[in-house]
Amino acid sequence: MNIEPTELEKAIVLKVVGRMDAENADEFQKACDRWIAQGSRHLIADLDGLQYVSSMGLRAFLAVAQKLQSLSGGLILCGLHGLPRQVFEMTRLLSLFQVYDDVPKALATL
Amino acid sequence: MEAPFERLVLPARVDSLEAFRGFVRTGAESAGVAAQALDWLDLVLEEILVNIARYAYEPGTGNAEVRYAVPEPGRLFVEISDEGHVFNPLATDPPALGGTLSERPIGGLGVFLVKNLVGSLSYRREQDRNTLSFTFPGPDMA
């Protein structure tokens, strides 16, 4: 898994590429925590390149989203498709997140 | 099951996951399991083996065994065993799937996912071993 951050005026976009599993899900959480510690309140996860996510990845997304919500911010998910999208649907998490097709659509809501 | 088993024993650690996955994936491919199902098979193995790695021998260490047979073309029969504490993951309460984002508990989704993806899932404790067995793909998978 590779995480590539881009700092925009309204949000930090974290482009996640590859497989998020038990061995690396905490890397995503730590990356988000660093931006939150620096004052970011709106994070956008660009998941177009995410091929796989297990329950450990779901935990990371949920933990970050809950933390940002408690800080009056939010985690937006973009580009979810394939297995990751089905995993979010199966666990009924999809409706709890802000989900958009792509980053420009997400940015337009901020 | 008449078909012979292939088996692999490795330390029950998260870093053994890749080898277990590769081992079963090879079997799945030669059994003719649909290519688009292979990532779901990875997910099933990860959810079960991570639980074993984290909790089965806590605070000690031990091994996990994965074995599979091919009962029919396109399908695997898989058994995953450990010699750790008595634990039936199928007896745990189902996770709460309702509520708002802030109410949603963070854990408990792994076994739930497994139940949705495999068939004939069962647990047994015999000769001081926990064994989960299942067929893959399950009846709910396309």
Side-chain angles (χ1 to χ4, degrees), chain B residues 45-90:
Chain B
L45 295 172
E46 177 182 332
E47 301 298 352
I48 295 170
L49 288 165
V50 165
N51 270 345
I52 293 174
R54 295 244 158 107
Y55 306 118
Y57 297 99
E58 220 279 312
T61 56
N63 288 332
E65 177 177 325
V66 176
R67 52 191 177 275
Y68 66 84
V70 182
E72 57 180 302
R75 196 171 297 275
L76 285 188
F77 176 74
V78 183
E79 293 199 317
I80 301 178
S81 298
D82 64 75
E83 296 167 296
H85 313 303
V86 178
F87 177 63
N88 177 1
L90 309 184

Side-chain angles (χ1 to χ4, degrees), chain B residues 91-133:
Chain B
T92 53
D93 290 333
L97 296 180
T100 63
L101 179 65
S102 59
E103 294 162 353
R104 191 64 190 266
I106 280 187
L109 294 172
V111 174
F112 174 81
L113 284 168
V114 171
K115 286 179 177 172
N116 277 278
L117 296 170
V118 306
S120 307
L121 181 62
S122 75
Y123 166 85
R124 66 180 188 272
R125 175 82 183 181
E126 60 185 21
Q127 295 171 333
D128 295 328
R129 292 162 73 89
N130 299 301
T131 299
L132 269 185
S133 66

